[in-house]
Amino acid sequence: MSFLLKLFFTTFIFKNAVCNMKNTLVIIADDGGFEMGTYRNHIVQTPNLDALAKKSLIFNNAYTSVSSCSPSRSAILTGLPSHQNGMYGLHNGVHNFNSLENIKSLPLMLSTRGVRTGIIGKKHVGPKQNFRFDYSETEENNSILQVGRNITKMKLLVREFFSTQNHSKPFFLYIGFHDPHRCGHTHPEYGNFCERFGNGEPGMGLIKDWTPILYQPEQVELPYYVQDTRPAREDIAAQYTTISRLDQGVGLILKELKDSGFDSNTMIIYTSDNGIPFPGGRTNLYDSGIGVPLFISTPEQKRKNEVTYSLSSLLDITPTVLDWHEIKYKRKKTPLTGRSLLPLLDKETVNANETVFASHSLHEITMYYPMRAVRTHAFKLIHNLNYLMPYPIDQDFFLSPSFQDILNNTKEGHPTYWYRSLNDYYFRQQWELFDLKEDPEETTNLAYKSEYKDVFTKLKSQLTDWMKATADPWLCSPSGVLEDAGFFKHSPQCFALNNNT
């Protein structure tokens, strides 16, 4: 065979290999909600997210499995709910939660199969050996403000990752924005949402690629669970500015993807770890706390700029990524309860009996309030295990203008203009059942009404089965003790405490 013929075949094989290579880009917003044009917000400007949505399947019924940062990210990166992977609360500082040592994360599974892994921005999970990436620029070795909010810095890190990527090897790149998380607790000098960080004002620094967009409080669109008052509107306006920075950052990252030549064989997933940090939002298992945006874009999918109403969970991300890379999940002791979402990219398959589950144990270390939930298209059942205690409030949310407004008006006996009373928010019944068709705001508890007994019983049974399947340590709480070792190793049992719960 002549040299030229050998060169031709070698080039042909290499181009075919690159063409067939499958890569993944996952972009996670931090406390990001539905404030974008795609989800019918007509005020906040998000042209880059909206452009991505037009190339994607848009999920209208996507939910996080836990409404807290570290637990949610651990669930995204393992496919296991937080009570199963061990990340019960926040990873940082005094909270100090980590996943169990035997947990194998998505980046480790991919790396063992020849996929190069990278993470840029907010990681917020541990231990390091469980969530090891080949390329890592996070809060572990940078300022989180720089790698999570400075979109110019993030752009350059993405460029560095792509410039060092072997075109004959697939990659998985995870981008964790810190926007639009609050920062009034940690960096109040930059505003409640760090909306002044990098805006060029004296002492604020300058993010070269960011054009700040300011919003008038009178113009913002309030979700139903945020009260219509001046402080709340100003709070939302600040959030919008930070969302606009997130959007411009997404645009920069997608441009780097295209300029590098990887856009033709890369699956893009955009979502958020949980709901927005407002009253009724983050840390709650109401839809206002667990509902999240979700887009999935692949080069060859049939459904683009279309909406799916199929119930989907962030627990589905790991099986979706594994499916995209044609890797089988083989850990029989910790089976995944999520599913691959790839079939939905070509055909809608809504099932009336679909369910998604949620499991929340803590947020901050002082916020012990375990909850479990099951949601169908029609109903949701929430089990508040620590219902005799008041619902806890986290530090940065406590300082927020929105919560202070509700708190002060309640103390002074003034109208709050909120959809709940603060007392009802604090003190919840052990079981909450909601008819989501008639009561989408989840304000009327049907759990103790006789006419809903059959619905309650069915959902409770489904929730219990899921807790068993995911080895939930809280399976018997609060009315019993789970014995699953020694004599009960092969036949775990709940023993009643007779504590009137």
Side-chain angles (χ1 to χ4, degrees), residues 20-36:
N20 294 327
M21 198 68 63
K22 289 185 175 181
N23 307 307
T24 301
L25 173 63
V26 175
I27 303 174
I28 307 291
D30 198 357
D31 296 352
F34 299 97
E35 288 72 28
M36 64 184 81

Side-chain angles (χ1 to χ4, degrees), residues 11 18 182 219:
T11 304
V18 173
R182 289 188 180 276
Q219 296 177 320

